[in-house]
Amino acid sequence: MTVKPTILQELPADLEREKLPRHVAVIMDGNGRWAQRQGQPRIMGHRRGADVLKELLRCCQDWGIQALTVYSFSTENWRRPMEEVNFLMTLFERFLRQQLRELVAEDVRIRFVGDLAALPLSLQAELERAMEATRQNKGIRFTMAQNYGGRQDILQAVRTIATQVQHGQIQPEDIDEAVFERHLYTAGVCDPDLLIRTSGEMRISNFLLWQVAYAEIYVTETLWPDFDRSEFHQALRAFQQRDRRFGMVKN
Ligand code: IPE
Ligand code: IPE
Ligand code: MG
């Protein structure tokens, strides 16, 4: 099933361009429930979810969002039934193969963050191909968190820095936030300003733990396969109404 193109191609008039989040992160949740509500197997929700992701990426491009990061597979998702995990891995591979030409043409810079070495080899090859083919692109920075865990991200950064200390390349007192961030998987992209979670769950589920320190959190009851442009519009409207204080006092 393909998602119908919607009419909101231009930035909706009630959104202020200068107050858009630079970086949007999304926990795409609720695929299984969506499918089950239609009496279909869970995997049908994942299939539809991939179409919705394409549409959101396009919407971010149309509306001038600079970076989009999505949680597509967590380090904990291996605990699911093997058939579902296998289906997801194949879906990611197919998604990339089918989308790559368009991603290149649309100037998207794609990147994958997470423990990629643990993924099936054929998928790893596809991820490499996609990153390589879009490396020079200058458009939206699109990151997929694939076999990603926030704790694991922090630990791998700690290990790298500890090794550098051991070799005398850096002194412990020189480790500050900027140094630390350079070793996270997400290095080079600003922290998310807005974190969206679909399907109503009020938790982070080990997503970008360090990076969401000051993200505005928006949770919608809408299940991921139903998250369309008008839902994204609502999330952006809510974001623009927030008072981001960063610990300061504002009147
Ligand atoms: C999110 O949807 C997709 C992944 C975690 C890969 P779920 O599969 O978690 O759907 P629900 O939460 O069970 O409905
Ligand atoms: C979070 O969703 C992971 C992804 C969306 C990839 P889950 O469905 O795995 O999270 P929990 O289990 O409800 O916390
Ligand atoms: Mg879920």
Side-chain angles (χ1 to χ4, degrees):
M1 194 191 312
T2 52
V3 176
K4 279 197 291 288
T6 40
I7 30 162
L8 292 169
Q9 305 298 346
E10 304 280 326
L11 185 69
D14 60 349
L15 294 179
E16 292 176 58
R17 188 166 291 285
E18 2 7 285
K19 281 176 67 183
L20 283 176
R22 281 169 308 163
H23 182 179
V24 176
V26 187
I27 302 176
M28 309 182 290
D29 198 14
N31 292 352
R33 277 164 282 174
W34 182 88
Q36 276 160 348
R37 277 179 204 175
Q38 330 245 332
Q40 294 176 14
R42 292 176 54 84
I43 56 165
M44 296 308 284
H46 298 317
R47 191 173 280 170
R48 163 87 181 196
D51 293 333
V52 168
L53 173 57
K54 264 183 273 174
E55 185 60 15
L56 177 67
L57 175 62
R58 208 135 290 147
C59 183
C60 286
Q61 291 169 289
D62 290 346
W63 293 357
I65 307 283
Q66 294 166 27
L68 172 69
T69 298
V70 298
Y71 205 6
S72 42
F73 194 86
S74 76
T75 45
E76 288 71 34
N77 286 147
W78 296 106
R79 297 179 187 157
R80 295 187 176 202
M82 197 179 68
E83 303 76 55
E84 183 169 342
V85 170
N86 288 343
F87 179 86
L88 283 167
M89 296 300 155
T90 311
L91 180 70
F92 298 137
E93 219 177 299
R94 214 174 36 212
F95 176 83
L96 286 172
R97 244 197 320 266
Q98 287 170 353
Q99 290 301 305
L100 189 55
R101 197 193 294 257
E102 273 178 54
L103 294 171
V104 172
E106 291 176 8
D107 212 19
V108 175
R109 263 181 296 180
I110 188 163
R111 186 158 71 141
F112 302 90
V113 292
D115 180 9
L116 307 182
L119 296 169
L121 288 177
S122 54
L123 176 56
Q124 285 186 47
E126 215 57 59
L127 305 187
E128 268 309 316
R129 212 157 72 90
M131 283 194 274
E132 194 47 49
T134 64
R135 203 179 293 282
Q136 306 298 333
N137 285 359
K138 297 280 178 280
I140 188 168
R141 301 189 76 138
F142 175 46
T143 305
M144 288 179 81
Q146 188 75 27
N147 193 21
Y148 178 89
R151 289 182 170 181
Q152 199 262 340
D153 192 358
I154 291 169
L155 280 178
Q156 63 81 30
V158 167
R159 269 189 224 112
T160 310
I161 296 171
T163 308
Q164 292 182 352
V165 170
Q166 197 177 29
H167 293 143
Q169 292 158 337
I170 184 173
Q171 298 305 310
E173 56 275 21
D174 294 332
I175 304 167
D176 57 12
E177 291 188 14
V179 167
F180 190 75
E181 279 169 359
R182 274 205 292 279
H183 295 284
L184 289 171
Y185 287 132
T186 50
V189 181
C190 65
D191 286 343
D193 304 294
L194 170 62
L195 171 67
I196 298 173
R197 182 164 189 154
T198 56
S199 90
E201 310 292 356
M202 301 281 190
R203 54 177 174 263
I204 303 285
S205 298
N206 203 14
F207 197 26
L208 308 162
L209 296 180
W210 169 283
Q211 298 87 338
V212 297
Y214 264 105
E216 291 298 325
I217 299 176
Y218 177 86
V219 176
T220 171
E221 290 295 326
T222 303
L223 303 175
W224 175 249
D226 289 326
F227 192 86
D228 59 10
R229 283 187 183 229
S230 78
E231 295 282 341
F232 187 46
H233 177 193
Q234 279 181 49
L236 292 175
R237 206 162 43 198
F239 174 80
Q240 295 202 333
Q241 281 158 8
R242 302 278 176 91
D243 184 10
R244 302 189 77 194
R245 288 189 290 275
F246 299 99
M248 298 176 284
V249 179
K250 279 193 196 159
N251 42 19

